Amino acid sequence: MKIAIIGSGLSGLACADHLAAAGHQVALFDKARGPGGRMSTRRIDSDAGTISFDHGAQYFTVRDPAFQETVSGWEKLGAASRWPDAGDDAWVGVPSMNAPVKFLAASHDVTWSARIVGLVKNENTWQLQSDGDPIDAFFDLVVMAIPSEQAAELLDPWEPDFAAIAAATASAPCWTLMLAFEESLGIAKPIFRDDATIGWAARNSDKPGRTGPESWVIQASPSWSVDHLEDSQDDVIARLSVRFAELSGTALPDPLIASAHRWRYARSGSADCKALFNGDLKIGVCGDWMLGPRVECAWVSGRALADLILA
């Protein structure tokens, strides 16, 4: 079959890997400019050169046996490593969080900067509608590997039951602050967690394989992010910087970089199932929101959907 996968984060790529290995022709489409999804890495130029921030997922766990085998392969390739500071079961991509996704995407046909806004059914085939004209290709089957809110919108005209499940599985937003400094701040702790304002703060430059000056990724708590979702970037940078200084007990010098990113769909909900597939309509759904807000859940869901399709 010719299969279109909307979304080339870890879930979409895990699905694509399994389908392609079985002999199917897979094409992926993603609205981003490059690989990562929630495992994205932001690169920002500064007077000290380009500095990278893992501004999405901070680490991932490895518990599913099939995922363990996959991560072992990434480790052998130098694309993943343990990060003991975050816990005994914490792993990160190397040299940046998106390294495993980049590795997976390299072996597939991925169209970047392609925002899919609708589907068109042509007898027994599907056509994707982008922001501009319809994509000039026809597919036997369509997979949606995107956040629940986006999946619900695309599914609604064709599979209202799946759309209802997606719509009922909301994501929590997150404001992320990225700071870099010319000199070390002298903060002993590499990680801060579970503050009412700051849910997570980590010295990004401490992660395995990272280079460059001291950098921090500071993620606001879900409740703070909801309350300040429509604030300006400048206000968010100022507020979170003040709270981080209080939390770490440090007077922050002027940073080399101070930038904020608003994730509207950061922490997924859970639909309590691995994947959804309508074999008659030839449409499937996968993503971390199927199982829960972990990187591993995204991979497991993508692999599970591929198994349903192959069955």
Side-chain angles (χ1 to χ4, degrees), residues 18-44:
H18 206 38
L19 293 172
H24 295 292
Q25 184 179 344
V26 181
L28 296 102
F29 301 86
D30 200 291
K31 67 178 184 177
R33 292 176 293 176
R38 289 191 177 102
M39 295 173 73
S40 289
T41 298
R42 173 71 63 85
R43 292 172 175 80
I44 304 176

Side-chain angles (χ1 to χ4, degrees), residues 5 11-12 15 143-146 274-276 284-290 298 301-303 305:
I5 299 181
S11 187
C15 187
V143 166
M144 296 182 193
I146 49 180
K274 288 186 176 180
L276 300 170
V285 189
C286 61
D288 53 0
W289 61 271
M290 294 274 93
S301 177
R303 178 66 177 263
L305 177 55

Side-chain angles (χ1 to χ4, degrees), residues 56-303:
Q58 294 297 290
Y59 64 90
F60 58 89
T61 56
V62 184
R63 299 166 188 170
D64 177 84
F67 189 52
Q68 287 178 347
E69 184 178 349
T70 295
V71 174
S72 293
W74 295 346
E75 184 181 24
K76 291 176 183 176
L77 291 168
S81 177
R82 292 183 182 274
W83 184 28
D85 284 346
D88 293 338
D89 62 346
W91 289 75
V92 294
V94 177
S96 56
M97 196 65 181
N98 67 350
V101 181
K102 290 175 69 175
F103 167 73
L104 293 177
S107 61
H108 291 287
D109 173 17
V110 184
T111 301
W112 303 106
S113 300
R115 182 173 179 266
I116 305 304
V117 298
L119 305 177
V120 178
K121 194 80 164 69
N122 300 294
E123 295 184 0
N124 295 321
T125 61
W126 289 101
Q127 193 172 18
L128 308 185
Q129 179 76 45
S130 69
D131 276 331
D133 297 327
I135 291 173
D136 188 21
F138 296 91
F139 300 94
D140 302 302
L141 187 148
V142 173
V143 166
M144 296 182 193
I146 49 180
S148 57
E149 291 83 355
Q150 297 168 359
E153 187 176 347
L154 290 180
L155 286 164
D156 190 54
W158 306 105
E159 231 299 358
D161 290 342
F162 289 1
I165 293 170
T169 312
S171 305
C174 179
W175 269 111
T176 296
L177 171 64
M178 293 160 277
L179 297 175
F181 301 91
E182 190 171 3
E183 302 291 340
S184 171
L185 299 181
I187 298 173
K189 289 179 62 176
I191 294 173
F192 297 86
R193 308 174 191 246
D194 302 327
D195 176 67
T197 297
I198 294 175
W200 169 273
R203 191 158 43 226
N204 195 84
S205 47
D206 277 7
K207 289 182 177 180
R210 275 55 174 180
T211 60
E214 178 161 335
S215 60
W216 286 81
V217 170
I218 299 158
Q219 295 182 327
S221 67
S223 60
W224 193 94
S225 295
V226 168
D227 291 343
H228 298 271
L229 188 60
E230 302 303 333
D231 286 7
S232 70
Q233 287 194 23
D234 288 344
D235 284 346
V236 169
I237 290 169
R239 290 172 182 269
L240 292 182
S241 294
V242 167
R243 181 55 192 148
F244 177 61
E246 295 171 348
L247 195 62
S248 63
T250 304
L252 300 182
D254 290 339
L256 286 167
I257 291 173
S259 181
H261 179 83
R262 175 175 53 200
W263 293 92
R264 288 193 179 273
Y265 311 120
R267 184 179 176 85
S268 76
S270 174
D272 200 26
C273 62
K274 288 186 176 180
L276 300 170
F277 181 56
N278 183 323
D280 295 326
L281 195 59
K282 297 291 193 299
I283 198 165
V285 189
C286 61
D288 53 0
W289 61 271
M290 294 274 93
L291 290 166
R294 292 190 293 127
V295 167
E296 183 172 4
C297 291
W299 188 93
V300 169
S301 177
R303 178 66 177 263

